[in-house]
Amino acid sequence: MKKIAIFQKDFQVGGIQRSLLSILEKLDYSKYSVDLYYFDDKPFFELPKRDKLNYIYCRPFPYYYRFLYFGLIRKLAHFPFS
């Protein structure tokens, strides 16, 4: 089984957001486990529900995180994973 992590800023009206949700609806969850980390607590679209599809809400990052390496952000942000 493959594990996939996806980071999405929000689920507001937009083509990328709708495309991502379409992909998640059609994915074969017997082969994949997906953790989707998102930073907007009020999604516009209804999020699909599956057994191996986990939605994890994270508080938005401060603006200056855009300029830091991801390894450093992992240490500073207190993600729900290691």
Side-chain angles (χ1 to χ4, degrees):
M1 175 169 300
K2 300 278 185 179
K3 291 186 176 185
I4 300 172
I6 300 171
F7 291 83
Q8 176 63 36
K9 180 181 175 187
D10 61 24
F11 286 107
Q12 298 303 318
V13 177
I16 292 174
Q17 292 89 341
R18 187 64 209 147
S19 296
L20 175 60
L21 293 176
S22 294
I23 290 169
L24 292 174
E25 289 174 356
K26 295 180 181 0
L27 199 62
D28 182 7
Y29 288 98
S30 64
K31 297 179 183 177
Y32 301 100
S33 174
V34 178
D35 291 333
L36 195 144
Y37 298 87
Y38 67 102
F39 301 89
D40 184 16
D41 60 346
K42 297 178 183 104
F44 178 80
F45 296 110
E46 184 177 339
L47 303 177
K49 306 279 191 260
R50 302 287 187 271
D51 286 339
K52 295 182 182 176
L53 174 59
N54 302 311
Y55 296 101
I56 302 161
Y57 171 71
C58 300
R59 289 189 342 236
F61 292 151
Y63 180 78
Y64 63 88
Y65 273 31
R66 297 175 190 199
F67 307 107
L68 301 177
Y69 291 105
F70 186 71
L72 181 59
I73 292 172
R74 282 184 60 186
K75 292 178 183 176
L76 295 174
H78 306 291
F79 281 120
F81 54 85
S82 63

